[in-house]
Amino acid sequence: MSVLAYVESFKGKIKKNALEIVSYSRELAIKLDTNLVTIVLNVDDTSELNKHGASKVLKVTNSELESFDAKLYANVIAQAAKANNSNYIVLSSSLDTRYLAPLLSIELEAGYISNVVELPSSLNPFTIKRTSFTNKAFCDSTIDSDIKIIGLSSNAFGISENNTEGLLEDFNPTLSEKKITINSTEKVSGKISIADADIVVSAGRGLKGPENWNIIEELAETLGAATACSKPVSDMGWRPHSEHVGQTGKPVATNLYIAIGISGAIQHLAGINSSKIKVVINNDPEAPFFKAADYGVVGDAFDVVPRLTEKLKAFKA
Ligand SMILES: Cc1cc2nc3c(=O)[nH]c(=O)nc-3n(C[C@H](O)[C@H](O)[C@H](O)COP(=O)(O)OP(=O)(O)OC[C@H]3O[C@@H](n4cnc5c(N)ncnc54)[C@H](O)[C@@H]3O)c2cc1C
């Protein structure tokens, strides 16, 4: 038996959530009194994983796996699980892994629980806590299949340092026929993506129009943050759809989420409530967002935001 952690990567580099996946998987392996095996696809440097407890790392290098293909990736992870006798597979709860996990589940005849927030509370029956109803509640779920797939929620467990001497092993899976060909990919360049950001500065209809986003961008730039927005803002074309966060947009699980001129509708909160610290700037003291905020500023965004940016710049200098 072993725990297999699948770590996502982009262009040869491990993604931000990788260290949390490894930290969690290590603790799970300790709890199960078994070994941890970590699999990476086309990653150049895996040493960071060893600092967080990855003892054995399976390195797959294959140009066919350069772009994400859920079926192909699921098949490679399944082969690694079989080769390492892994009964427990840990993945993130990113869009890509939520796509591949059900396919992996079919290949391995495994039960799958997504949005997991803790280590299992019981091993027999295997019971684990997850969020439900778009993060508004928790529930304890049980898996009774031999093989279990755990999709860990971002920022749920945290990162722990555990310097481990790593064993790096090349793993050469047999690749099934590629069904998807990606002709081109477009990535917003020069900007921090919401998924990779530690801080997100987000704004809503309170900003009145796209011409006012300069104050949001300046604050984001000062903080090294990504920019985001509420749904109506992207619907009206004030901002690109890639910035829309919430229940029907991107989920945000950052360390700091700054919401400016956003009312805090339930559908917006559903997407951001995994963020650790929420700061709200709104001129209406009754805005629902204040109930979810860790820190709140009641004031006009056009007055508060430039002053905040100025103070931050002075502090950084
Ligand atoms: C099925 C469904 C799915 C949805 N999914 C999403 C989703 O994923 N994400 C999402 O965001 N929404 C979603 N919505 C829409 C959601 O219900 C809200 O309508 C939306 O979030 C409101 O956006 P807003 O806060 O920007 O605008 P508003 O509700 O208009 O709020 C603007 C806020 O700005 C404040 N304000 C105004 N002027 C200033 C100023 N000068 N300074 C400071 N504050 C100011 C106001 O007090 C107000 O609180 C969904 C709705 C439905 C029905």
Side-chain angles (χ1 to χ4, degrees):
M1 188 175 75
S2 69
V3 172
L4 179 70
Y6 164 60
V7 160
E8 289 166 274
S9 56
F10 183 71
K11 292 200 169 162
K13 295 207 161 48
I14 55 168
K15 282 197 177 173
K16 187 187 146 204
N17 58 16
L19 305 182
E20 188 174 28
I21 295 295
V22 169
S23 302
Y24 177 90
S25 304
R26 177 183 176 272
E27 291 293 326
L28 179 64
I30 291 171
K31 193 164 178 144
L32 293 162
D33 196 17
T34 189
N35 305 323
L36 169 62
V37 181
T38 304
I39 180 165
V40 292
L41 311 186
N42 292 328
V43 171
D44 306 327
D45 181 9
T46 58
S47 57
E48 193 67 12
L49 300 173
N50 305 131
K51 289 186 198 149
H52 297 271
S55 38
K56 177 177 170 183
V57 178
L58 303 179
K59 197 171 168 177
V60 181
T61 311
N62 193 313
S63 59
E64 291 285 290
L65 297 166
E66 241 145 50
S67 48
F68 179 72
D69 179 326
K71 206 162 180 200
L72 217 52
Y73 276 37
N75 183 260
V76 168
I77 299 167
Q79 288 181 51
K82 284 176 190 161
N84 288 275
N85 202 13
S86 309
N87 281 40
Y88 297 83
I89 296 148
V90 181
L91 322 159
S92 75
S93 287
S94 71
L95 289 178
D96 283 357
T97 51
R98 271 189 278 170
Y99 184 12
L100 76 77
L103 299 167
L104 182 61
S105 165
I106 292 166
E107 287 222 24
L108 296 173
E109 296 186 2
Y112 164 50
I113 298 184
S114 62
N115 297 328
V116 165
V117 290
E118 282 180 3
L119 287 165
S121 55
S122 150
L123 296 178
N124 199 5
F126 186 85
T127 310
I128 205 157
K129 190 174 178 178
R130 71 185 297 269
T131 58
S132 55
F133 298 110
T134 50
N135 288 341
K136 285 191 279 296
F138 294 107
C139 69
D140 286 318
S141 294
T142 301
I143 313 181
D144 57 13
S145 54
D146 284 345
I147 304 178
K148 299 159 184 72
I149 304 174
I150 299 165
L152 183 67
S153 209
S154 277
N155 265 344
F157 190 73
I159 297 170
S160 50
E161 282 205 19
N162 292 289
N163 248 320
T164 311
E165 208 159 302
L167 171 71
L168 193 60
E169 205 176 283
D170 284 328
F171 182 65
N172 298 307
T174 316
L175 293 193
S176 51
E177 197 195 333
K178 209 170 157 72
K179 293 271 173 15
I180 297 171
T181 310
I182 297 182
N183 296 324
S184 68
T185 50
E186 270 178 44
K187 196 170 189 293
V188 184
S189 57
K191 285 183 96 184
I192 301 164
S193 76
I194 293 172
D196 293 332
D198 258 345
I199 306 175
V200 169
V201 177
S202 187
R205 221 154 27 180
L207 263 284
K208 319 287 186 223
E211 66 281 4
N212 296 323
W213 244 262
N214 57 327
I215 59 168
I216 303 303
E217 281 179 340
E218 204 181 341
L219 175 60
E221 203 184 312
T222 309
L223 288 166
T227 49
C229 67
S230 64
K231 183 176 186 294
V233 163
S234 68
D235 286 349
M236 289 184 291
W238 293 2
R239 298 296 291 175
H241 278 290
S242 57
E243 290 196 1
H244 160 198
V245 299
Q247 185 183 331
T248 47
K250 282 191 181 151
V252 177
T254 51
N255 284 325
L256 176 60
Y257 184 76
I258 306 179
I260 303 162
I262 301 178
S263 56
I266 198 159
Q267 297 89 355
H268 187 87
L269 297 181
I272 63 100
N273 56 14
S274 300
S275 292
K276 276 196 191 142
I277 295 175
K278 296 161 211 97
V279 176
V280 171
I281 302 172
N282 198 302
N283 63 0
D284 175 8
E286 301 298 323
F289 218 141
F290 283 121
K291 291 207 180 88
D294 297 286
Y295 299 93
V297 181
V298 179
D300 186 340
F302 299 100
D303 170 40
V304 176
V305 175
R307 283 203 283 147
L308 179 61
T309 307
E310 206 179 294
K311 284 275 177 211
L312 285 165
K313 279 185 179 166
F315 177 74
K316 279 175 82 179

